[in-house]
Amino acid sequence: MSNPDRNARVTRLVRGMPASDGAGVRLTRVIGTSQLPDLDPFLMLDEFGTDRPEDYLAGFPDHPHRGFETVTYMLDGRMRHSDNHGNEGVLVPGSVQWMTAGRGLVHSEMPEQLEGRMRGFQLWVNLPARDKMCEPRYQEFTPEQIQHVEPAPGVVVKVIAGRVGGTAGPVYGAGEAATAPVYLDIALEAGASWQYGLPTGHNAFVYAYEGGVQVGEHEHARNVGAQELGVLGGGELVALRAGDAGARLILVAGKPLREPVARHGPFVMNTREELMQAFADLQAGRF
Ligand code: CO
């Protein structure tokens, strides 16, 4: 508030790029592009949002992952996932699936609808070397299991991971993740404002998916419009103020791992040798 050294500001502003993934799903890639290849510990952010079934019907048939976590947050639509370990379920609007791929699995993510709106995000979170070969794990939450708080007038925050005041998100409830993630879905009415204190040392970004939001204060204030991502830096206190149309955004933060990244498609390891091993293990059916 009064100490400007603690105020976060937008150090980079990037727009998502149209991309296609899976069997031809059209989406917007925001992290994982040539503009913003990663933001340690985040490796990728995709927004999918469309009313056109032809954009999503092909889905994401069987594909592997190893060495990181995939976080799917649905806003609209239904998606069925199933993996080669026998796990299966349907993601509904407002639900979150935080999947720790660890040593590896093969799964599919397919739309559970033939028409209507499909909207949400998939975020990839890196794992530290010590956890890359852990057993795969799911943390899956229904909308009812994710608490909403109203920390200021006209501000509603869904706490998916991390804390807002006394409210903790259900993901990594025991706080054991090396990246200590924060994932908030924030709705601001027109003109509403709120200030949030990030954990010290985290890398962080805001991504506006409706309306626009001013981030930072005074001469450092910068507007983040719809479908824009603002990389945050310079301090822990994130001051948000919605524009005339209000704003919906995600605020995501994590402790950087500062480890070498060897990455190829769905495998994210520390060395080239570990990547080669991942291919060999997949071919030998060891996922
Ligand atoms: Co996947």
Side-chain angles (χ1 to χ4, degrees), residues 63 65 70 99 107 109 122:
H63 59 280
H65 293 288
T70 68
M99 183 185 85
H107 76 160
E109 301 154 286
Q122 190 169 89

Side-chain angles (χ1 to χ4, degrees), residues 147-176:
Q147 291 196 65
H148 294 51
V149 295
E150 295 187 42
V155 181
V156 176
V157 182
K158 279 197 229 178
V159 189
I160 296 167
R163 301 189 74 89
V164 175
T167 303
V171 174
Y172 285 116
E176 71 269 42

Side-chain angles (χ1 to χ4, degrees), residues 35-282:
Q35 273 192 90
L36 187 61
D38 57 39
L39 181 65
D40 186 12
F42 306 111
L43 302 158
M44 198 189 80
L45 175 68
D46 285 342
E47 179 183 18
F48 45 96
T50 178
D51 298 316
R52 294 160 25 110
E54 59 268 38
D55 288 346
Y56 62 74
L57 277 180
F60 303 87
D62 278 348
H63 59 280
H65 293 288
R66 172 180 279 186
F68 60 102
E69 303 185 293
T70 68
V71 181
T72 307
Y73 175 35
M74 296 299 292
L75 294 169
D76 297 295
R78 295 160 63 85
M79 190 91 87
R80 175 175 294 273
H81 71 93
S82 64
D83 74 16
N84 64 329
H85 296 245
N87 300 297
E88 184 160 11
V90 176
L91 296 172
V92 300
S95 64
V96 171
Q97 182 198 67
W98 199 290
M99 183 185 85
T100 306
R103 62 183 309 285
L105 48 74
V106 176
H107 76 160
S108 62
E109 301 154 286
M110 301 298 290
E112 184 80 352
Q113 64 191 41
L114 296 175
E115 56 182 16
R117 183 153 225 226
M118 181 73 79
R119 186 164 71 143
F121 299 101
Q122 190 169 89
L123 176 73
W124 288 11
V125 186
N126 206 357
L127 286 168
R130 66 158 199 262
D131 295 335
K132 282 191 180 293
M133 294 297 279
C134 71
E135 284 302 310
R137 171 187 179 191
Y138 289 87
Q139 299 177 76
E140 210 164 293
F141 303 100
T142 63
E144 296 75 26
Q145 292 172 306
I146 300 168
Q147 291 196 65
H148 294 51
V149 295
E150 295 187 42
V155 181
V156 176
V157 182
K158 279 197 229 178
V159 189
I160 296 167
R163 301 189 74 89
V164 175
T167 303
V171 174
Y172 285 116
E176 71 269 42
T179 51
V182 174
Y183 195 137
L184 309 178
D185 180 8
I186 303 169
L188 298 143
E189 289 176 8
S193 63
W194 182 48
Q195 191 157 264
Y196 177 71
L198 289 166
T200 304
H202 273 38
N203 283 335
F205 66 85
V206 295
Y207 180 75
Y209 62 93
E210 283 180 22
V213 63
Q214 175 188 288
V215 180
E217 290 195 305
H218 311 301
E219 72 274 23
H220 295 305
R222 199 158 168 190
N223 197 63
V224 178
Q227 276 66 53
E228 287 181 335
L229 179 145
V231 177
L232 303 181
E236 295 89 48
L237 281 178
V238 184
L240 304 171
R241 180 180 299 276
D244 293 341
R248 294 191 68 185
L249 61 132
I250 53 173
L251 168 57
V252 178
K255 187 174 172 184
L257 296 173
R258 305 189 202 287
E259 290 183 0
V261 173
R263 172 175 183 171
H264 190 89
F267 308 131
V268 184
M269 306 303 289
N270 297 106
T271 67
R272 192 179 145 73
E273 290 66 35
E274 290 166 347
L275 276 185
M276 305 293 280
Q277 189 63 48
F279 279 102
D281 286 349
L282 180 66

